Amino acid sequence: MGRTGTTRRHALIAVGGGLLTACSSEGPDPAAVKKAEDTGRLRAARDSRALLGEYDAVLERHPDLAAALTPLRTAVAAHVRALAPADGPTPSASASSPASPSPPSPSATAAGTLALADDPADAVKSLAAAERRTAAAHSAALLDAPPELARLLASLAAAGATHVYLLTKGSVS
């Protein structure tokens, strides 16, 4: 007489069958994935453009920091370009020209860094805080991002953390 009820073997067969069914189903809708990626890219690009505006404001107010800040600003401009949707328009020209100051974005105004101190060290501290915010935003966004965008956001968050280190403990003062 056979056993009745659930046995370990029956449970494993049921789970295995469910996994095979799940693996053989169609994946997510490609159009939905593309839309999610484009939306995520635009949101992250907006955050990076705001950071770029903050660099421009600091460089305009404290041109003596140009040697130390221009490489970091150039990297942020590259981040903005990398976040542009693959088939979409490229971000504004200010992101590609490291020397041209552009007016800071509204989110830079909201962050309060436009009221830059006359002290260059305080301006650098505000840039470090802006980098920290942007890196945190990229880190938070990668949790819901499609895989390719998640990898890019993780890289940008790591670069932002490096910028924070350079601005706070590096040679920028």
Side-chain angles (χ1 to χ4, degrees), residues 129-145:
E131 282 277 10
R132 205 174 278 114
R133 281 189 308 273
T134 304
H138 291 331
S139 293
L142 73 85
L143 297 175
D144 297 323

Side-chain angles (χ1 to χ4, degrees), residues 23-101:
C23 291
S24 65
S25 68
E26 295 178 30
D29 178 26
V33 170
K34 172 127 177 55
K35 182 178 179 181
E37 182 166 339
D38 287 349
T39 301
R41 281 179 177 274
L42 290 172
R43 197 171 290 135
R46 180 198 63 218
D47 294 340
S48 290
R49 270 194 306 276
L51 177 61
L52 188 62
E54 295 201 30
Y55 270 96
D56 289 340
V58 170
L59 285 168
E60 184 176 340
R61 183 75 170 263
H62 303 286
D64 52 317
L65 294 174
L69 295 182
T70 299
L72 300 177
R73 188 226 180 261
T74 301
V76 172
H79 299 170
V80 172
R81 286 190 304 276
L83 286 164
D87 59 352
T90 349
S92 68
S94 69
S96 58
S97 60
S100 68

